Every structure is written in structure tokens, then in C-alpha cells.
Amino acid sequence: MSEEIDLSAVPTTTVAQCLGISARYVHQLTEDGVFTSTLQNRKAKYDLPDTVQRYIKKLTEKADAAKTTSQRKEAAEADMKEAKAEILAMERDELRGKMHRSEDVEAMTSDLVFSIRAMMLALPGRLAIDLADMDKPTEVSERIKGEVYKILEELSKYEYSAEAYRARVRERQGWEKEAPEGDGGEQT
């Protein structure tokens, strides 16, 4: 008659030997709730098949977590590389005058506004003597209108200057002279 081994009540050392871990680690996994044990004669006993399955599940979860962490790290690195490429593309477009920083647009718009302001402030001085000699309101109106049209004519000639923009970018970057067209604007 063959003697059956009770696999539902093995000691800690048997579990440790079967799993290739220390008895202390078996106790730790029991404290952590991974393994369950029963007390028999004041000693911990384990259901070996259940304990092996639980250990396999723990190792699988640990491997999956490591894989997920690795995948997240790879995805983060890919995102970072993509962001760096986008930044470099934007800097290239800026140096070529195809894209403008808001602060540069604001500065160039301010320059235009100050030019208009200067023209408007010069208007009274340009008209004062001529208007003082005029008696008829229609004549005064026509003279003012003529000066306003001159200002508008000057403003209509205003054109965006890509070179002025590039000069502003070079100045902001601290570059002395412009790089040759199409090389991405290396410093000199």
C-alpha cells in the first residue's frame, strides 16, 4: 500500500525548498498576505499547490508591473524626443522667418504704433501756421484732411520686413551676423 503525502499541510521549509526561496521569505510573504497558512502543533503549515499558484501569480504580477513601467519609460522617452524635435523645428522656422515669437510680434507692432503716434503728434506743428492764416472752415478741413492723407499714404507703404525680423531674432539670440540661408542659423 502506497502512502499518500498530504500536500495541504507542508511546513515552511518544504515550501521554501519547492519555491527556491528562504524560509524567512516564506514568512514575509505570509505576513504580506500572499500565502496563507494554518497552525498545526504550533507550526505554520501550507497547502503546497495553493501556495505555488499564489507565488506564480505574485511573480507574474511583478513581471507585468516591471513591463508596464518599462513601457511607460519608453513612451515617455519617445514623447520627449518628439517634443525636442518639435522645438527644433519651431526654432528653425523662427530663424527662417516663417514663424514669429509673440514678443517679437509685439515689439514690431509697438514700433509701428510709435511711428503712427509720432506722425500724429507732429500734425499740429505742421498745420499750426497754415491754419492760423485760414478763415474758412472748409479750407481748414481740407488742409487737415490733406495732412491726414499724407500720413495714411506713408502708413500704406509700411511692409513687413523679414530682414528686420531676422535681425531682431539674431539680436535676441546674441548672434553677431546672420547665418547663410537654409542652414538652420548656426552661431558665428
Side-chain angles (χ1 to χ4, degrees):
M1 171 169 190
S2 68
E3 192 177 311
E4 277 192 39
I5 301 173
D6 183 9
L7 297 178
S8 64
V10 296
T12 304
T13 54
T14 303
V15 172
Q17 286 175 338
C18 287
L19 298 178
I21 59 177
S22 70
R24 175 67 195 121
Y25 191 48
V26 171
H27 288 296
Q28 181 64 49
L29 291 173
T30 304
E31 288 175 20
D32 293 346
V34 177
F35 297 158
T36 56
S37 66
T38 57
L39 285 178
Q40 291 181 2
N41 298 329
R42 297 174 29 179
K43 295 205 179 222
K45 299 289 183 173
Y46 296 88
D47 180 348
L48 189 59
D50 179 61
T51 303
V52 169
Q53 289 299 314
R54 287 172 177 254
Y55 190 63
I56 290 170
K57 182 180 178 189
K58 177 185 175 31
L59 293 178
T60 302
E61 288 171 355
K62 187 176 180 181
D64 288 346
K67 184 192 251 184
T68 302
T69 301
S70 173
Q71 289 170 338
R72 277 187 272 175
K73 182 179 177 184
E74 288 174 11
E77 287 174 356
D79 289 347
M80 186 181 301
K81 287 178 182 178
E82 185 177 330
K84 285 180 180 180
E86 286 178 23
I87 289 169
L88 289 173
M90 287 188 286
E91 287 176 354
R92 180 200 63 224
D93 288 348
E94 179 185 13
L95 290 170
R96 290 180 177 167
K98 294 181 179 181
M99 184 171 70
H100 305 311
R101 287 190 181 199
S102 59
E103 61 263 26
D104 292 331
V105 172
E106 181 181 352
M108 294 184 86
T109 302
S110 292
D111 291 347
L112 178 60
V113 168
F114 285 128
S115 293
I116 295 169
R117 181 180 180 270
M119 289 180 208
M120 298 303 285
L121 290 174
L123 191 58
R126 289 170 47 182
L127 294 173
I129 295 175
D130 290 347
L131 295 180
D133 293 337
M134 295 182 184
D135 295 332
K136 298 178 186 169
T138 55
E139 200 178 344
V140 170
S141 176
E142 285 301 314
R143 179 71 174 107
I144 292 173
K145 189 189 232 182
E147 288 297 319
V148 169
Y149 281 147
K150 284 181 185 176
I151 291 172
L152 291 174
E153 179 68 26
E154 285 181 52
L155 290 175
S156 72
K157 294 176 185 173
Y158 176 82
E159 289 186 18
Y160 165 77
S161 169
E163 179 51 41
Y165 177 75
R166 281 194 286 275
R168 187 175 295 277
V169 172
R170 287 190 309 271
E171 181 182 320
R172 182 172 24 82
Q173 295 290 350
W175 298 344
E176 292 179 18
K177 61 182 181 178
E178 182 177 5
E181 185 69 30
D183 77 346
E186 295 179 14
Q187 289 189 15
T188 55

